Amino acid sequence: MNLRWIIWIITVAALIVACNVYASYTVSFDAAGIHRAILSSIIAVLGIISLFTLPRLTARGKIIAILSVSTLARVSVLPTAPSDDINRYLWEGKLAGLRVSPYQAVASDPVYAPHRDHYWEKMNHIDKPTAYPPLAMEAFQVINKMGYNPMSYKVTFMLLDLFLIATLLALLNHHRLPLQWSMLYALSPLSLLSFAAEGHFDILMVLAVIFSLLALSKRWYITCGIAVGIAVGAKIMALVVAPLILWRAGAKGIIAALITFIIPLIAYWANLISIVNGLFVFGSKGRFNGPVHQVVSALNGDQFASLSTAILFIFIWFFAFWLMLKDRLWSSVFIAFGGLVILSPVVHFWYLTWILPLVALRPKLSWISLSISFSLYFLVWDQLATIQIWNLPLWAKWLFWLSFFILLIMENRSLFSKLRFLSQHPENSANPSFAIIIPTYNPGSELQQTLASLAAQTIRPQEVI
């Protein structure tokens, strides 16, 4: 066994131990944040080290190694106390199983009094309408049949997460990209703690989006459309990337996506207005850790911040659409989802998992840095315990995002330089100066055709040699 193997095994073993220690500290979802912040940052660093020290193996060997370690890490964090979001999944899934609409009123309404139980008592935001679409309700109902307890959700989401890693490996292999890049997602505490540990439902949307990219790569257009329909049906935020993917999938994909999305909606058609209202309330009322929104809000007020970030996102989305038209689909999906997260007024740490699998496809230091700095998120529980306010300390908010924005600017400095040049020299951007050299030898009539084509161009050269 060579030194590389020894270092990798030690690193992976340390990561598994850190996952076990994290689970032992987190006996409740609001457990002390300082320990969780330290441990999650340690897990992040060990995950990155394990990527760069992965032994030289065959493709099959790498797949086995990555999936094995990913499984061990997820099993290690499985005993972690789940998020209180699971209480809503359980209770609303129970209503769906009884064919009682979760959309007809808020959870605190007396109409649901006969169905209240201990999960209803532990639910958060019982005075607000549900934000989960009908497909999510059907999924909750199915998972409840496995057992009416949080562990059913955590095990299900862990298995879906492992399937996502396998999908990433298949996608990387299909495009002949390094398989170890999948470890940026597989061994990140963002994915480990979001799904196997806390049990957040976002995994279904994220898996469906990545699987749609794999299906599109293999030209399975109907399968791609079904996956996109599942993504939007699970979490409406997937709407920002759905048109980008479906444009490439064509008519078959679009029809498959629409059918997949509409079928679960039929059972709740009478509550359509309530469903839309719930999504609006969810998307417009909360304020927490949005890096751009909170700064603009502090300077010019909340209403201006919401309007300006919405307009900015529209510009970002059309830029993403343009990239898709230029055959840069992965980048377009990356930018659309990334723009949504950065400009959102609310950013919980598991929202970063929407982008994290795309980081494995297009590694960016800026987004990788969030796998470490996000650990400051857990300090909200210390704030709540000491001053009874659920929020991050101001310094933690800045450190959460500081490395990300510094690295983002560095990664895009060439783009910023180009934009600055165009703004300072508009005449150069409209009429660039260039010459064309055509090497020829007895070209005959072909030269005349070439010259005629050049003369017909919108932007003409200064000279043709």
Side-chain angles (χ1 to χ4, degrees), residues 297-319:
S297 180
L299 296 173
N300 292 290
D302 187 75
Q303 187 174 3
F304 178 82
S306 298
L307 179 61
S308 58
T309 51
I311 293 172
L312 180 56
F313 177 72
I314 291 172
F315 280 104
I316 289 174
W317 190 89
F318 276 105
F319 176 64

Side-chain angles (χ1 to χ4, degrees), residues 2 4-5 8 50 53-57 62:
N2 59 31
R4 191 182 183 93
W5 265 106
W8 189 73
S50 67
T53 58
L54 181 68
R56 294 178 179 85
L57 300 166
K62 286 181 180 179

Side-chain angles (χ1 to χ4, degrees), residues 235 237 240 281-297 302 305-314 316 335-352 354-355 367 400-401 404-405:
K235 212 164 178 80
M237 287 75 175
V240 302
V281 170
F282 173 80
S284 62
K285 299 300 181 183
R287 299 290 182 269
F288 173 76
N289 197 35
V292 176
H293 191 281
Q294 65 184 358
V295 172
V296 178
S297 180
D302 187 75
S306 298
L307 179 61
S308 58
T309 51
I311 293 172
L312 180 56
F313 177 72
I314 291 172
I316 289 174
I335 288 172
F337 254 156
L340 180 65
V341 170
I342 293 171
L343 297 175
S344 173
V346 178
V347 181
H348 294 296
F349 79 85
W350 56 92
Y351 291 7
L352 299 175
W354 305 351
I355 299 102
W367 290 97
F400 189 113
W401 294 104
F404 168 78
F405 280 107

Side-chain angles (χ1 to χ4, degrees), residues 15-173:
L15 186 146
I16 300 301
V17 169
C19 288
N20 278 285
V21 175
Y22 181 94
S24 67
Y25 266 111
T26 315
V27 293
S28 64
F29 76 93
D30 57 352
I34 186 66
H35 299 103
R36 296 162 74 180
I38 294 171
L39 286 166
S40 58
S41 61
I42 290 173
I43 294 169
V45 172
L46 291 172
I48 293 170
I49 293 173
S50 67
L51 185 159
F52 290 107
T53 58
L54 181 68
R56 294 178 179 85
L57 300 166
T58 62
R60 183 176 180 179
K62 286 181 180 179
I63 291 171
I64 293 172
I66 292 168
L67 287 176
S68 298
V69 175
S70 300
T71 302
L72 285 172
R74 280 156 178 77
V75 171
S76 297
V77 297
L78 201 58
T80 301
S83 163
D84 59 345
D85 285 350
I86 282 187
N87 298 319
R88 184 176 283 273
Y89 306 160
L90 283 158
W91 187 73
E92 291 182 349
K94 172 185 172 180
L95 294 182
L98 296 171
R99 293 303 166 196
V100 176
S101 174
Y103 302 108
Q104 60 184 318
V106 297
S108 58
D109 194 285
V111 70
Y112 295 123
H115 308 294
R116 292 175 181 173
D117 58 19
H118 57 293
Y119 292 121
W120 178 87
E121 292 173 356
K122 295 187 289 184
M123 271 175 54
N124 56 26
H125 307 303
I126 63 172
D127 58 334
K128 295 180 180 178
T130 180
Y132 300 108
L135 181 62
M137 294 299 173
E138 296 304 310
F140 297 159
Q141 178 187 347
V142 171
I143 297 172
N144 278 359
K145 291 179 180 178
M146 297 170 55
Y148 191 57
N149 58 73
M151 191 55 71
S152 297
Y153 284 81
K154 283 156 63 77
V155 170
T156 300
F157 296 164
M158 180 187 75
L159 294 175
L160 290 176
D161 197 24
L162 289 170
F163 185 49
L164 170 56
I165 296 167
T167 303
L168 265 179
L169 286 165
L171 196 52
L172 290 167
N173 186 59

